[in-house]
Amino acid sequence: MERLPIQTIIENINTEKCFHAVAEDYSFTIKIDEYVHYACGAVHDGHQFRKELWENCIHTGYERWYEEDPETKNMVKSHPIVIAGCDSRFEYDLNRAPEDAVFDTAWGKQLWHEPLSEEKKQKSLQKHENFYKVVHALITKLEAKFGVAIVYDMHSYNWKRWDREVPTWNLGTSNVDNDRFGDDIEQWRQRLSEMILPHEIKSTSKINDTFQGNGYFLKFITKNFQNTLVLATEIAKVYCDEYNYVIYPEVVASVEEQLRTRLPEHAANFYKKHA
């Protein structure tokens, strides 16, 4: 893996160079092993939180972790194109529009002892802007090369906070073209529901049950590109103890192993249908 400036990352994409890189400011990683018609994103995987913000932050490290999506990058690490955030969404949220990306409050609790200076906000927002410059370059390249593309937008959610039974997998589709891509969405839901997970964890899968797919990553791509489907794919945090801060690596590994075949098979069927 190389540490690269944003412009070099974009130049690599434009010239179809295969590479593994971390952004120069360590805000995100991208790997491209091969230029294929599908990509995986894990925008909330990161937990980094820059040191100058530590003393001013009211939320603990655990409280931040609880709202992040740990291990979502690892679930898709074997695929040819993966882009993932390194920084905590509490510094800036890659899945929210720039004007909402730096929180004042988070999940009903004040985030800062003292309001952030404009300079500190802008430092965070520059990272957000750079990430989306790369996303734009990547999807531009994939659409130009293949005509259509599909992005698997990986997230997780805290299922224990719900007071009803919720699915292991939720697909949020309210902001994509369901008339055009409805069959592809249903096929992805079905493939997820067929997973066999450790410890007799059910692999139920529903559409727009807990979340509706209102994230900025999905909206940005959908707005700017006419031939790319983004599948906002949420796994309940059955792969960890969300209250005791413990990851279950055997569950993460099982998800990764099964996505290794199920995801490219789904992407291939999508391409065959829409190319």
Side-chain angles (χ1 to χ4, degrees):
M1 178 175 283
E2 303 173 273
R3 179 186 177 211
L4 297 176
I6 296 301
Q7 192 53 46
T8 303
I9 292 173
I10 292 172
E11 288 169 3
N12 284 353
I13 292 169
N14 290 342
T15 57
E16 294 186 29
K17 181 178 179 180
C18 294
F19 65 103
H20 292 204
V22 63
E24 196 169 34
D25 58 8
Y26 295 101
S27 57
F28 69 91
T29 61
I30 181 170
K31 74 150 187 168
I32 302 179
D33 292 330
E34 180 185 0
Y35 284 83
V36 294
H37 64 279
Y38 72 96
C40 299
V43 298
H44 284 159
D45 184 75
H47 186 61
Q48 287 180 169
F49 194 65
R50 71 177 192 267
K51 190 172 182 179
E52 68 174 346
L53 302 176
W54 290 2
E55 289 187 4
N56 194 31
C57 184
I58 298 171
H59 285 240
T60 65
Y62 165 73
E63 287 175 307
R64 297 195 299 272
W65 176 87
Y66 180 78
E67 301 295 353
E68 294 159 355
D69 297 347
E71 301 297 328
T72 47
K73 178 184 176 181
N74 279 335
M75 292 176 188
V76 293
K77 66 182 181 180
S78 62
H79 299 283
I81 303 175
V82 180
I83 186 168
C86 297
D87 293 327
S88 173
R89 65 192 304 191
F90 284 79
E91 183 177 334
Y92 58 97
D93 194 329
L94 286 170
N95 213 30
R96 300 199 184 189
E99 59 269 22
D100 300 317
V102 178
F103 301 158
D104 293 318
T105 61
W107 288 270
K109 179 179 175 181
Q110 190 71 26
L111 183 54
W112 310 108
H113 291 290
E114 300 291 338
L116 289 187
S117 67
E118 192 60 30
E119 180 184 359
K120 289 178 179 177
K121 286 183 180 180
Q122 288 305 316
K123 189 180 293 188
S124 296
L125 290 174
Q126 185 62 58
K127 297 180 182 182
H128 186 284
E129 181 181 332
N130 288 341
F131 178 85
Y132 278 98
K133 286 179 180 178
V134 171
V135 170
H136 194 279
L138 176 62
I139 305 304
T140 298
K141 172 56 66 176
L142 298 187
E143 280 203 1
K145 188 172 177 65
F146 298 103
V148 295
I150 185 167
V151 177
Y152 298 88
D153 175 20
M154 302 300 295
H155 295 271
S156 64
Y157 76 96
N158 298 299
W159 67 277
K160 291 182 179 180
R161 70 174 12 149
W162 293 78
D163 59 3
R164 61 174 175 86
E165 186 174 352
V166 292
T168 305
W169 298 94
N170 178 84
L171 302 183
T173 68
S174 63
N175 288 287
V176 300
D177 188 341
N178 285 267
D179 292 334
R180 183 182 180 189
F181 298 122
D183 289 345
D184 307 287
I185 293 165
E186 173 54 28
Q187 287 169 17
W188 186 229
R189 187 206 65 76
Q190 181 66 30
R191 287 175 187 271
L192 294 171
S193 74
E194 294 167 352
M195 278 198 184
I196 299 173
L197 299 175
H199 315 308
E200 299 183 343
I201 296 169
K202 295 179 181 178
S203 195
T204 54
S205 181
K206 295 187 177 181
I207 296 171
N208 297 328
D209 183 88
T210 48
F211 299 94
Q212 286 68 49
N214 291 317
Y216 183 70
F217 184 67
L218 180 153
K219 288 182 176 179
F220 175 87
I221 296 172
T222 302
K223 178 182 177 182
N224 287 286
F225 300 94
Q226 300 304 308
N227 294 307
T228 298
L229 170 62
V230 183
L231 288 172
T233 304
E234 301 248 4
I235 182 172
K237 287 183 179 174
V238 295
Y239 63 89
C240 70
D241 184 331
E242 62 196 61
Y243 291 148
N244 289 309
Y245 209 169
V246 176
I247 297 288
Y248 305 147
E250 75 280 20
V251 181
V252 176
S254 178
V255 171
E256 188 275 328
E257 182 179 1
Q258 293 178 74
L259 287 179
R260 205 180 300 169
T261 54
R262 293 176 186 273
L263 194 153
E265 285 172 358
H266 180 266
N269 287 334
F270 170 85
Y271 187 70
K272 190 182 300 181
K273 178 178 179 181
H274 297 285

